[in-house]
């Protein structure tokens, strides 16, 4: 049974039993504790925890997931894949254990002809929590399982919680006996390779208190509404139903593996280590396809770094298999054909996906060349110093600056007989990640610990958010918080985090900056500095008290600055307009991959190889402003996510969408995007869109920046004034400025070339005098000099004028602004005495620079150090 059919049967089964089919959420998630959805229940977490009222009593989904904690195990075990799909059915205060167990048993064992999976009931084992006698009894009664196939296990295996105070409960897992060829008899407690887990039923019925780990915390009591959260691994079920050994060999991954084997000219199954690499390729290519399809772009941090690492591991694995040519385009096309039956969007977006992957692969190939050079130099220095360990800081530099994978550093260093301080590298990596996570959490929470905010949400419920309806509202202060907890009162000049029962302030999201404004009360005036949504449903305000004092329980009037909101609306609508204009001019592959807008300014990132021409930039700007001149209407509609996709709405993938989504249209189909931001009512209200910059923000990624509204007109006015001043200074009509400036530049270039020629003539004439004045240092003729011209040419010219029979060394320095360049040249006689130009340059420049033994160069020293450096040459020549 193909994986797409397994997926369809699951959704149909539960839909027929009253479950609402919920589409998979995009892989990127706004949850500040996660980069990607890593479990099927993540999109349902606000409903399961009671933070947000559930829109349906029972639901089902097949959720895309990415989990990279075990990435090093990918390919080495049958249980680890970085991308997987989790089939789930959820009861939100509706049914409980009996129905969940009955559903799982029926679907698993019903005949294929009857719509089930046809698993042999006699080969199914289950586990239950050792205290859960109710579940044990239900398995006996509903499934007729004997006691020996109902295995009791402890908290580590069969009790679920999120690791923090909140819902928890026992779980029951279903395993399938794959036969004695795959391991020992005795059930899942003995061998989890032979007995493969394929479904986990979580019974959320208790509330847990504080405590570490998976056990040892107190159970505070029963939940008022019990929930069901189940997860059936789609790849695991496919492994069982397709009769293959592991998830890398199912129909959605095996074709990629086979194509990789064909390209590398190896046979799967012939060599254990090659098999691991082939499985890594198959897994990572599929994962990359799905991440790219959901809008993630390779980058140096966060989600982008995860994707970059996955792509580069796939490319490197192919190189280890002996295939050094570009490979991602070929393999991604195979993965697309495998996944399109379940996810048609991967085929629709494939041109964009392939283009981004090709850019990343090209960049990585360049990285390999640069990183290899840096690594070889570092290893040589380690050996020269008599050490056998590459410092962790050097490995981290290779990783952080050059994108060089640590496993590649380890392997290549080992080939040269050098170890790597892996512990030092890991410490630096951990510190970097902790800083990044802390920064992200602090930004979202306004500097307040999330653990301090959660009790506020638990006690008072979600914020009544009115930003899309009004600019003002009366509100009550629910909490005043500092970094560590509640603050009794905040006074004039102090900054604190404030939670209101209702707010008109827009919280930063979807690329739009937060609102500015004031909180006013009987005895307080406070400025709103920032607004964030650190937890689903909770809005927090960072405020500075301007006068008086603010305390919990106070009544205030919350008012958004209307000029700020107008500018924000112009900028956000301008971003949509620019995105549509970009796609109109460049085509559908120019899909927004990131944006930011605030009053008067917007930026938009999109995948594209190479800088845009001046003509393309002008055409994009003209298309955007044409929409403004046509005064296209701006409309908002609410609909289901499938309806929005059917309509062709563009989704921004750093958002999580609920049952209903908000679609913003500008000119109908011309611009149609899922968006929760604030917008103008007609395009003309944007004023103008003036492109101010187009630049690179990484391999294959470009950024457009623009001024909008009043700031846009101001930018154009400043440009006009600048042109007027230039025209006045050149005494030329504006229309002739490009030709007049081009003529001036040509004359300047000619003058520079003539000056260079004269300097070179002077240096050649000077070379003979320098050679004649060479200093004899223990039999070696030494010349040091400075020049404003070509140091390399002068060094060679002086070396040629030294007697060929005498050892000769020439070092020429050339200051250029704050930094200087050094060139060393050594003749044949000096080489025979052991002199080496490359070694000399490195001694002079503290390890920097290089070249051949006859001619080398380097730079970077401050220009003021150049005389002293040249004076040190004689002493360094004969240093051991």
């Amino acid at each position: 049974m193909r994986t797409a059919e397994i997926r369809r049967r699951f959704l149909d089964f539960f839909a027929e039993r009253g479950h609402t089919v919920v589409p998979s959420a995009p892989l990127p998630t706004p949850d500040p504790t996660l980069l990607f959805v890593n479990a099927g229940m993540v999109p349902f977490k606000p409903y399961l925890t009671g933070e947000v009222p559930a829109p349906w009593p029972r639901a089902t989904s097949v959720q895309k997931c990415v989990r990279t904690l075990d990435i090093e195990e990918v390919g080495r075990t049958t249980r680890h894949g970085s991308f997987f799909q989790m089939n789930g059915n959820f009861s939100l205060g509706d049914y409980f254990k009996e129905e969940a167990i009955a559903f799982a048993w029926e679907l698993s064992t019903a005949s294929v002809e009857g719509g089930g999976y046809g698993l042999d009931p006699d080969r199914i084992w289950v586990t239950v929590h050792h205290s859960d006698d109710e579940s044990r009894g239900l398995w006996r009664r509903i499934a007729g399982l004997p006691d020996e196939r109902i295995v009791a296990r402890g908290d580590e295996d069969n009790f679920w919680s999120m690791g923090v105070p909140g819902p928890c409960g026992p779980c029951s897992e279903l395993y399938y006996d794959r036969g004695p060829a795959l391991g020992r008899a005795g059930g899942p407690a003995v061998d989890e390779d032979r007995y493969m887990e394929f479904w986990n039923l979580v019974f959320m019925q208790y509330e847990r208190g504080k405590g570490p780990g998976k056990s040892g915390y107190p159970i505070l009591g029963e939940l008022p509404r019990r929930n069901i959260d189940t997860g059936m691994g789609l790849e695991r079920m496919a492994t069982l139903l397709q009769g293959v050994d592991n998830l890398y060999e199912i129909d959605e991954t095996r074709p990629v593996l086979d194509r990789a084997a064909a390209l590398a000219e190896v046979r799967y199954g012939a060599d254990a280590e090659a098999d691991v690499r082939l499985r890594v390729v198959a897994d990572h290519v599929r994962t990359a396809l799905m991440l790219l399809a959901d809008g993630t772009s390779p980058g140096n941090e966060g989600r982008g770094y995860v994707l970059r690492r996955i792509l580069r591991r796939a490319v490197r694995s192919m190189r280890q298999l002996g295939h050094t040519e570009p490979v991602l385009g070929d393999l991604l096309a195979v993965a697309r054909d495998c996944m399109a039956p379940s996810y048609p969007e991967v085929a629709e977006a494939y041109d964009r996906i392939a283009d981004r992957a090709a850019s990343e692969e090209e960049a990585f190939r360049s990285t390999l060349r640069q990183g290899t050079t840096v690594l070889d130099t570092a290893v040589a220095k380690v050996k020269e110093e008599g050490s056998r360990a590459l410092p962790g800081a050097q490995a981290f530099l290779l990783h952080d600056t050059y994108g060089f994978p640590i496993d590649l550093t380890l392997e290549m260093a080992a080939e040269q007989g050098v170890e790597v301080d892996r512990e030092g590298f890991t410490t630096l990596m951990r510190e970097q990640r902790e800083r990044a996570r802390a920064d992200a959490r602090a930004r979202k929470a306004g500097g307040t610990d999330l653990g301090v905010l959660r009790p506020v949400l638990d006690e008072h419920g979600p914020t009544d958010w009115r930003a899309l309806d009004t600019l003002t509202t009366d509100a009550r202060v629910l909490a005043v918080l500092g970094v560590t907890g509640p603050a009794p009162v905040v006074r004039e000049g102090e900054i604190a985090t404030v939670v209101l029962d209702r707010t008109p302030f827009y919280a930063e999201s979807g690329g739009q900056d937060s609102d500015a404004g004031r909180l006013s009360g009987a005895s307080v005036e406070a400025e709103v500095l920032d607004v964030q949504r650190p937890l689903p449903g909770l809005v927090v305000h960072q405020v500075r008290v301007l006068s008086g004092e603010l305390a919990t329980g106070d009544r205030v009037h919350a008012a958004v600055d209307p000029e700020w909101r107008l500018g924000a609306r112009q900028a956000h609508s301008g971003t949509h307009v620019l995105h549509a204009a970009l796609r109109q001019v460049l085509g559908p592959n120019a899909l927004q991959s990131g944006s930011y807008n605030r009053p008067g300014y917007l930026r938009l990132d999109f995948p594209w190889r190479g800088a845009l021409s001046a003509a393309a930039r002008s055409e994009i700007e003209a298309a955007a402003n044409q929409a403004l001149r046509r005064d296209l209407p701006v409309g908002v509609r609410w609909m289901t996510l499938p309806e929005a996709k059917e309509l062709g709405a563009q989704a921004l993938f750093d958002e999580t969408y609920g049952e209903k989504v908000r679609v913003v249209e500008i000119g109908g189909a011309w611009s149609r995007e899922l968006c929760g931001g604030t917008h103008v009512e007609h395009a003309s209200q944007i004023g103008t869109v003036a492109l101010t910059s187009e630049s690179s923000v990484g391999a294959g990624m470009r950024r457009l920046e623009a001024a909008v509204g009043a700031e846009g007109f101001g930018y154009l006015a400043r440009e006009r004034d600048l042109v007027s001043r230039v025209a006045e200074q050149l005494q030329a009509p504006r229309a002739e400025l490009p030709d007049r400036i081009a003529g001036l530049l040509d004359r300047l270039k000619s003058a520079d070339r003539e000056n260079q020629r004269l300097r070179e003539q002077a240096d050649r004439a000077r070379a003979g005098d320098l050679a004649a004045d060479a200093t004899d240092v223990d039999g070696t003729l030494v010349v040091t000099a400075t020049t404003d011209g070509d140091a390399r040419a002068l060094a060679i010219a002086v070396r040629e004028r030294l007697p060929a029979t005498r050892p000769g060394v020439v070092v020429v320095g050339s200051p250029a602004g704050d930094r200087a360049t050094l060139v060393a040249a050594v003749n044949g006689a000096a080489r025979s005495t052991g002199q080496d130009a490359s070694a000399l340059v490195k001694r002079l420049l503290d390890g920097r620079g290089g070249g051949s033994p006859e001619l080398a160069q380097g730079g970077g020293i401050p220009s003021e150090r150049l005389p002293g450096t040249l004076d040190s040459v004689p002493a360094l020549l004969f240093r051991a």
Side-chain angles (χ1 to χ4, degrees), residues 282-576:
D283 171 86
H284 285 12
V285 166
R286 186 170 74 138
T287 302
L289 175 82
M290 303 308 293
L291 288 174
L292 287 162
D294 269 4
T296 303
S297 294
N300 288 328
E301 43 186 51
R303 300 181 182 107
Y305 175 72
V306 173
L307 174 56
R308 171 162 286 168
R309 184 184 181 201
I310 285 170
L311 284 167
R312 293 184 170 190
R313 277 174 59 89
V315 172
R316 179 173 170 263
S317 293
M318 288 299 295
R319 293 176 70 89
Q320 289 174 314
L321 289 166
H323 187 81
T324 58
E325 296 301 312
V327 71
L328 287 180
D330 197 331
L331 296 177
L332 281 167
V334 178
R336 171 202 60 198
D337 295 341
C338 293
M339 300 304 295
S342 295
Y343 303 99
E345 60 268 25
V346 301
E348 296 164 5
Y350 185 71
D351 288 346
R352 171 179 60 83
I353 292 169
D355 190 66
R356 290 298 300 116
S359 296
E360 182 63 21
E361 182 168 17
E362 181 181 322
F364 185 45
R365 289 165 64 84
S366 174
T367 290
L368 283 173
R369 290 190 294 270
Q370 296 175 23
T372 299
T373 301
V374 174
L375 177 61
D376 289 346
T377 301
V379 168
K381 185 176 181 181
V382 165
K383 289 183 175 180
E384 183 179 320
E385 294 171 350
S387 175
R388 284 296 179 204
L390 188 73
Q394 185 69 50
F396 181 76
L397 173 71
L398 281 162
H399 158 83
D400 198 47
T401 303
Y402 297 95
F404 218 59
I406 181 60
D407 47 354
L408 188 57
T409 300
L410 289 166
E411 182 176 317
M412 294 181 64
E415 289 171 356
Q416 300 183 61
V418 172
E419 297 178 348
V420 177
D421 176 13
R422 183 67 184 267
E423 184 176 342
F425 170 83
T426 302
T427 298
L428 291 169
M429 281 295 298
R430 183 171 58 251
E431 291 172 354
Q432 184 191 60
R433 290 190 184 115
E434 287 172 353
R435 285 194 300 270
R437 288 171 181 163
D439 289 347
R441 287 194 296 266
R443 171 70 176 143
K444 276 287 184 184
T448 302
D449 190 289
L450 289 178
V452 175
L453 291 170
R454 191 172 295 280
V456 178
L457 180 63
D458 292 341
E459 179 180 354
H460 299 286
T463 306
D464 181 5
W465 186 64
R466 302 184 177 185
L468 299 180
D469 305 315
T470 184
L471 294 179
T472 65
T473 186
D474 291 327
R476 183 167 64 92
V477 178
L478 300 180
V480 178
L481 304 166
V483 174
T484 58
V489 66
V490 56
R491 297 181 175 83
E492 183 175 331
E494 295 178 344
I495 294 175
T497 297
V498 173
V499 183
L500 305 176
D501 62 344
R502 65 180 61 90
T503 182
F505 287 93
Y506 185 84
E508 180 184 353
S509 65
Q512 180 176 330
D513 201 358
S514 61
D515 278 332
R518 296 288 181 97
L519 301 182
S520 305
S523 61
V524 69
E525 189 77 17
E527 175 187 12
V528 176
L529 305 174
D530 189 22
V531 188
Q532 295 290 331
R533 198 186 299 267
L535 296 170
L538 185 70
V539 177
V540 302
H541 313 71
Q542 187 182 65
V543 306
R544 177 191 290 115
V545 176
L546 302 177
S547 63
E549 58 184 37
L550 187 66
T552 299
D554 285 357
R555 293 283 179 176
V556 295
H557 182 71
V560 176
D561 181 339
E563 287 299 314
W564 179 279
R565 174 66 72 82
L566 173 60
R569 293 166 63 204
Q570 290 174 321
H572 203 152
S573 296
T575 304
H576 285 223

